[in-house]
Amino acid sequence: MGKAKRALLTGITGQDGSYLSELLLKKGYEVHGVIRRSSTFGTDRIEHLYRDPHESGTRLFLHYGDLTDGNNAAALLQEIQPDEIYNLGAQSHVGVSFINPVYTVEVDALGVLHLLEAIRHCGRPVKFYQASSSEMYGKVVETPQTEKTPFHPRSPYGCAKVYGFWQTVNYREAYGLFACNGILFNHESPRRGETFVSRKITRAATRIKLGLQKKLYLGNLDARRDWGFAGDYVEAMWLMLQQKKPGDYVIATGQTHSVRELLDEAFGLLKLDWKKHVEQDDRYLRPAEVDLLLGDASHARKTLKWKPKVTFKKLVKMMVEADLKLAEQEKILHQAGHRVHKTEYE
Ligand code: NAP
Ligand code: F7E
């Protein structure tokens, strides 16, 4: 048996990091993840994958680090000697990027450069995946969006991702790095962060159903997104790094839905009328909005032989079912006198 491939993931504690770790471990990889030190543990999404490294069989290893620290990137490459790097780490909330633009750029733009520089100087071939985003299309100049559609970002997040995208292309062209951009459209799951609109809706709808919450406050209900399932999308990331040549790929379902339609679907599954529970709150509006995203993943379908398996309806159902279970557990805690309410920020 050959030596196991070694992957290094930034953002391993996030939604995509957890699904990609599962996929790579299943494929026999040794997986190394970068985690940030925080006052509480943030490893919930990967707990089920992590065991004591001294026990036999574990192939998941965690290392402290931060994308804002270039020395850390170089040291991790030296220590781990990975074959593949997946850069999933980011301040990934578009709304928050308007509030913390400089920090967002330091992590989401300069963080990419730190990794690319570390690869360039490490003296061995390392394949690189950059988590680029459909937010780069912003105020779209054509629909559907393809790899050739020009960018017009509408947020500090979108601008930072454009920088990361071009540095990835530039290091490929200038230094011959095997570096790929996945231009991923919105992808969700039961592990999605609770302040993104899909999960905010499925969490609230299920809590409302069980009497744990009365109202849901949202911003722009007219925005349209191409929503897919995160589990499908991490497969595309891996496939990009298995090709003969590096490249950039749009990953999307080719269907677009409004926030309103998402509300119809989620509340409808619970036989609730969202209009009785949802209120508009200007705090959730953004200074500039991305009105419509719709991706054309023909290049990925043809070259990677990738296609999404989970439809919009199936995705919402999966999230509602998972959040209903969570709400049932919360109800038990609530009845036992525990406080279960969470503050909404974004
Ligand atoms: P997520 O759930 O928000 O996870 C973000 C990850 O980045 C977390 O592990 C977080 O660690 C880590 N992180 C944040 N700041 C960091 C820093 N300064 N240094 C190192 N790590 C840091 O995001 P996701 O949905 O999995 O998305 C993964 C990547 O794809 C992101 O780059 C995102 O911008 C991009 N993307 C996402 C989508 C989507 O629809 N989900 C679409 C296109 C592109 P903590 O747990 O410590 O906070
Ligand atoms: O917003 C509207 C909001 O925050 C979707 C990130 O993963 O995907 C994500 O970015 C839409 C926007 O995702 C609320 O204005 C209304 O039009 O779920 P979201 P996003 O901004 O599209 C891209 C591809 C990424 O790369 C990002 O990392 O929903 N919306 N009311 C709301 N959004 C939020 N969050 N909260 C609301 O109350």
Side-chain angles (χ1 to χ4, degrees):
M1 232 173 70
K3 204 168 132 273
K5 273 198 202 172
R6 204 172 287 161
L8 173 61
L9 277 64
T10 67
I12 193 165
T13 54
Q15 171 188 253
D16 292 6
S18 69
Y19 282 107
L20 183 62
S21 299
E22 271 171 18
L23 180 82
L24 295 175
L25 288 167
K26 255 191 225 140
K27 290 188 182 294
Y29 276 68
E30 184 177 300
V31 174
H32 293 256
V34 182
I35 55 165
R36 298 191 290 169
R37 194 269 155 186
S38 73
S39 63
T40 53
F41 285 119
T43 48
D44 286 4
R45 292 185 179 103
I46 50 169
E47 274 321 318
H48 63 296
L49 302 174
Y50 190 68
R51 279 188 288 137
D52 184 334
H54 302 296
E55 277 180 29
S56 60
T58 188
R59 285 175 170 278
L60 176 63
F61 301 88
L62 301 178
H63 309 260
Y64 280 116
D66 195 297
L67 279 161
T68 56
D69 185 340
N71 292 333
N72 175 247
L76 284 174
L77 251 76
Q78 182 72 25
E79 183 192 336
I80 297 162
Q81 309 246 325
D83 302 296
E84 298 173 4
I85 296 183
Y86 295 87
N87 182 31
L88 309 180
Q91 189 304 90
S92 70
H93 200 284
V94 174
V96 171
S97 79
F98 286 99
I99 301 161
N100 293 138
V102 176
Y103 175 70
T104 302
V105 166
E106 280 169 356
V107 180
D108 299 11
L110 288 182
V112 185
L113 186 59
H114 291 319
L115 285 170
L116 289 167
E117 273 290 274
I119 296 173
R120 178 161 84 94
H121 291 294
C122 80
R124 44 191 297 279
V126 183
K127 293 182 177 178
F128 181 73
Y129 172 86
Q130 167 57 13
S132 288
S133 164
S134 53
E135 281 295 301
M136 300 187 303
Y137 298 120
K139 193 170 176 359
V140 297
V141 300
E142 65 179 9
T143 297
Q145 295 86 49
T146 72
E147 292 81 5
K148 295 197 170 65
T149 304
F151 300 141
H152 184 146
R154 294 275 278 174
S155 62
Y157 171 84
C159 293
K161 286 287 179 181
V162 169
Y163 177 89
F165 174 93
W166 283 116
Q167 281 294 23
T168 301
V169 172
N170 184 242
Y171 272 61
R172 182 167 76 214
E173 293 175 352
Y175 307 115
L177 257 58
F178 193 108
C180 299
N181 282 291
I183 309 175
L184 271 53
F185 283 60
N186 299 53
H187 46 281
E188 323 292 311
S189 72
R191 298 184 202 165
R192 183 59 144 152
E194 293 189 20
T195 59
F196 297 96
V197 80
S198 62
R199 188 81 198 287
K200 190 169 164 181
I201 289 172
T202 58
R203 278 290 272 145
T206 49
R207 295 182 89 244
I208 288 168
K209 180 74 183 174
L210 297 195
L212 291 164
Q213 183 174 333
K214 284 198 171 68
K215 293 276 175 213
L216 166 61
Y217 298 96
L218 292 173
N220 176 15
L221 304 188
D222 297 318
R224 300 185 71 85
R225 291 290 183 274
D226 181 330
W227 277 293
F229 171 51
D232 287 345
Y233 285 33
V234 298
E235 292 225 27
M237 298 176 185
W238 176 77
L239 282 168
M240 284 177 216
L241 297 199
Q242 313 314 309
Q243 303 306 301
K244 284 209 174 74
K245 286 187 192 154
D248 307 319
Y249 298 87
V250 161
I251 301 299
T253 69
Q255 305 275 318
T256 187
H257 295 276
S258 65
V259 174
R260 234 174 259 284
E261 287 163 15
L262 183 52
L263 284 163
D264 281 339
E265 197 60 38
F267 278 75
L269 284 167
L270 297 160
K271 311 238 174 318
L272 292 171
D273 177 1
W274 62 265
K275 293 187 186 80
K276 290 189 180 144
H277 303 281
V278 173
E279 281 185 23
Q280 212 250 317
D281 186 331
D282 287 353
R283 281 184 304 167
Y284 301 117
L285 296 175
R286 294 163 184 185
E289 178 60 287
V290 173
D291 297 321
L292 163 78
L293 290 174
L294 174 62
D296 175 352
S298 303
H299 179 40
R301 283 176 183 261
K302 189 164 170 248
T303 312
L304 306 179
K305 313 274 182 273
W306 175 88
K307 63 172 187 225
K309 297 183 193 94
V310 177
T311 60
F312 174 73
K313 270 180 182 287
K314 222 166 131 184
L315 172 66
V316 179
K317 188 163 181 276
M318 181 198 299
M319 293 176 71
V320 165
E321 283 173 359
D323 280 340
L324 197 54
K325 285 201 184 115
L326 208 55
E328 280 159 2
Q329 287 162 12
E330 281 183 343
K331 190 161 182 174
I332 294 167
L333 286 174
H334 180 68
Q335 283 164 344
H338 295 277
R339 188 174 170 274
V340 293
H341 173 75
K342 284 201 175 174
T343 312
E344 270 182 40
Y345 292 106
E346 302 101 23

